[in-house]
Amino acid sequence: MIPQKLKFIFVVLIGMLTALVGCTRDDPGAGLNNGTPYVVELPDHFPRLPVPEDNPLTVEKVELGKKLFFDPMLSVDGTISCGSCHFQENGFSDPRRISLGVENRPGERNAMALVNLAYAKSLFWDGSNPSLETQAMVPIEADFEMAHDLRTVIDTLRTHPEYPQLFQEAFGKEPDLDGLIKAIASFERTLLSYRAPIDRFEAGDENALTDKQKFGRAVFFSERGECFHCHNGHNFTTELFENNGLYLDYEDKGRWRVTGLESDIGKFKVPTLRNVEKTGPYMHDGSIATLEEVMDHYATQGHPHPNRSPFMTNIELTDFEKEALVAFMRALTDEAFLTDEAFRP
């Protein structure tokens, strides 16, 4: 298995040099204006959707990416797809503590929810990947996920009865790695959650939240609750890395695997709380089963690890405050997102 730090460098280089891995030598700008623009309408409290200049959203790319996302052909034995570990009803996360790859090989961490990733500054629990495009390659080749070879995948796509035409419609060229990763990234970029009760509340509907949820919201955004320091903004995450005192001795050292800094041991990316009611189990290793248990963990301040966040040291909540916080987090559940047929295969 490739060490995490080297894998990060490898992924970035591959993303820059896709022509070396089964790609055509077309002009990198070819196909940029190919297809029908994909229109996204977001509420006022959401920032403009970030889209790379070299991968504008089109209907054709999104549909191709969705087909690839749910196609087990991307795995070496044809048994699993991206959708095998990211379930829509669970906010595109995995309800299992650890996901299973081909031949039931156990993964390393709990699969993160694929929610509003268009806004992500980095990907994976340790932030080891910089973009949706480069991220798309990692699970295909990872030994404990799809365990396939990208060159073989491209060869298979080129001889497939449907994919050559779909790639032509989306990119104006035959299947290649550049198109593969841009298509999957395009679909993932449209997995946008913005229709929860909290969004209606932010838009001015005072009745969108119950009184208990409003109280929980007040605790959430107060120095008493401390939650907002790490979970804020339209996506309820700072995108930073924190140690929340989950362990005294971390078997998985988190961000350290990328930076090598002792100060990063036990730090993991702060996840979005959108649809958090549906994305359990929680933490990087899925070690906490319920939101109530998550509240208990934070109320006890966790283990006194040297890198533990300073925001973990002053949390003393009553039982009612913990209940209200859980109620508020349930107001972040976007039922429309969890059932939207546009995201189904």
Side-chain angles (χ1 to χ4, degrees), residues 1-4 6-15 74-75 80 82 86 108-109 123-150 153 177 180-181 184 188 257:
M1 186 180 298
I2 302 173
Q4 193 72 13
L6 293 179
K7 190 171 190 177
F8 172 71
I9 297 172
F10 170 78
V11 166
V12 174
L13 290 176
I14 288 293
L74 298 187
S75 64
I80 66 169
C82 304
H86 297 282
E108 295 182 306
R109 297 166 177 165
L123 300 162
F124 300 141
W125 280 105
D126 54 18
S128 59
N129 206 281
S131 75
L132 282 174
E133 280 73 15
T134 54
Q135 176 275 334
M137 294 182 287
V138 177
I140 295 175
E141 290 200 310
D143 292 339
F144 53 85
E145 294 186 67
M146 298 182 185
H148 214 340
D149 172 71
L150 283 167
V153 170
L177 181 58
L180 171 68
I181 63 177
I184 294 175
E188 292 178 337
R257 293 170 60 172

Side-chain angles (χ1 to χ4, degrees), residues 77-102:
D77 59 2
T79 60
I80 66 169
S81 68
C82 304
S84 298
C85 298
H86 297 282
F87 301 94
Q88 182 178 2
E89 62 270 27
N90 299 104
F92 285 97
S93 70
D94 194 335
R96 297 169 294 187
R97 179 171 177 175
I98 299 295
S99 297
L100 299 177
V102 296

Side-chain angles (χ1 to χ4, degrees), residues 6-287:
L6 293 179
K7 190 171 190 177
F8 172 71
I9 297 172
F10 170 78
V11 166
V12 174
L13 290 176
I14 288 293
M16 297 170 61
L17 302 173
T18 52
L20 297 179
V21 192
C23 295
T24 60
R25 296 187 179 182
D26 295 342
D27 178 352
L32 287 183
N33 298 315
N34 204 62
T36 309
Y38 187 97
V39 179
V40 178
E41 295 183 5
L42 296 170
D44 292 340
H45 62 281
F46 265 62
R48 181 179 178 181
L49 189 70
V51 178
E53 291 184 3
D54 65 345
N55 192 21
L57 278 178
T58 68
V59 172
E60 291 78 7
K61 277 192 279 187
V62 171
E63 286 301 310
L64 171 58
K66 178 168 67 172
K67 183 175 177 64
L68 291 164
F69 184 91
F70 290 105
D71 197 333
M73 186 187 74
L74 298 187
S75 64
V76 69
D77 59 2
T79 60
I80 66 169
S81 68
C82 304
S84 298
C85 298
H86 297 282
F87 301 94
Q88 182 178 2
E89 62 270 27
N90 299 104
F92 285 97
S93 70
D94 194 335
R96 297 169 294 187
R97 179 171 177 175
I98 299 295
S99 297
L100 299 177
V102 296
E103 300 175 345
N104 289 323
R105 299 174 191 175
E108 295 182 306
R109 297 166 177 165
N110 179 253
M112 298 189 81
L114 307 184
V115 179
N116 296 346
L117 290 183
Y119 298 98
K121 296 178 182 178
S122 64
L123 300 162
F124 300 141
W125 280 105
D126 54 18
S128 59
N129 206 281
S131 75
L132 282 174
E133 280 73 15
T134 54
Q135 176 275 334
M137 294 182 287
V138 177
I140 295 175
E141 290 200 310
D143 292 339
F144 53 85
E145 294 186 67
M146 298 182 185
H148 214 340
D149 172 71
L150 283 167
R151 190 186 301 275
T152 303
V153 170
I154 298 304
D155 289 341
T156 303
L157 290 172
R158 288 178 176 174
T159 58
H160 191 273
E162 298 179 50
Y163 279 117
Q165 179 61 33
L166 295 175
F167 272 81
Q168 282 293 335
E169 293 172 359
F171 297 102
K173 59 183 178 179
E174 67 178 347
D176 64 2
L177 181 58
D178 177 71
L180 171 68
I181 63 177
K182 284 182 176 178
I184 294 175
S186 292
F187 171 62
E188 292 178 337
R189 200 164 273 123
T190 67
L191 298 178
L192 298 165
S193 181
Y194 55 87
R195 294 167 285 184
I198 186 60
D199 297 301
R200 298 195 294 275
F201 183 83
E202 294 295 340
D205 182 1
E206 289 289 330
N207 296 320
L209 302 185
T210 67
D211 288 342
K212 192 171 189 177
Q213 288 173 332
K214 290 176 183 177
F215 180 75
R217 179 178 180 273
V219 175
F220 186 96
F221 288 105
S222 72
E223 295 295 339
R224 181 168 178 77
E226 302 280 14
C227 313
F228 75 99
H229 291 292
C230 297
H231 298 282
N232 58 46
H234 70 285
N235 211 27
F236 292 90
T237 173
T238 59
E239 294 283 334
L240 300 178
F241 302 89
E242 301 285 353
N243 179 320
N244 65 358
L246 191 60
Y247 299 108
L248 270 178
D249 183 16
Y250 284 83
E251 181 177 349
D252 181 344
K253 299 188 185 304
R255 184 66 174 166
W256 172 89
R257 293 170 60 172
V258 177
T259 68
L261 299 175
E262 286 193 18
S263 59
D264 281 336
I265 292 176
K267 289 186 178 181
F268 295 87
K269 185 177 180 180
V270 176
T272 176
L273 294 187
R274 285 192 170 271
N275 302 297
V276 69
E277 176 188 6
K278 304 292 186 179
T279 60
Y282 306 101
M283 308 303 168
H284 70 277
D285 57 357
S287 58

